[in-house]
Amino acid sequence: IAAGGAANTSSALPTPRCGHSLSLVPTLPPSLVLFGGSNTRGALNDLWTLDPETLSWQPAGAVDGAPPPPRAFHASAMVGRTLVVVGGRNGYEYLRDAYTLNT
């Protein structure tokens, strides 16, 4: 196993967080999608992509329709090119919803 380097800090970076999800998008070249989590300000619902070749982050941009509400400690998985986000916690209550985001 070969270790990679640190993320490219010359690009934009997501804020530090915990309880987020990171899912592989099966494209060529592949990318990773980071969603949500929480930090000292509360739950997040931002969406970022990471290029594993260059280790550079990019904000995913605007979402068509209503994005999922902020959440942490949720589950997510890629189904084809669709990110499915389920449940989690918004800081006040447990969530029992599901959203899909097409990549």
Side-chain angles (χ1 to χ4, degrees):
I1 297 175
N8 181 349
T9 56
S10 64
S11 65
L13 295 171
T15 59
R17 66 193 65 213
C18 65
H20 55 280
S21 61
L22 186 67
S23 302
L24 177 67
V25 179
T27 56
L28 290 176
S31 64
L32 295 163
V33 175
L34 178 142
F35 175 74
S38 66
N39 61 21
T40 57
R41 294 180 151 170
L44 304 165
N45 70 337
D46 55 345
L47 193 64
W48 288 79
T49 59
L50 175 67
D51 180 332
E53 300 275 328
T54 63
L55 296 178
S56 58
W57 289 99
Q58 294 294 321
V63 173
D64 291 337
R71 66 192 60 222
F73 307 107
H74 54 280
S76 73
M78 291 298 299
V79 179
R81 291 188 48 119
T82 301
L83 179 67
V84 180
V85 177
V86 179
R89 184 160 171 76
N90 64 9
Y92 307 102
E93 63 186 347
Y94 291 98
L95 304 170
R96 297 191 296 173
D97 54 3
Y99 286 83
T100 58
L101 297 163
N102 295 318
T103 60

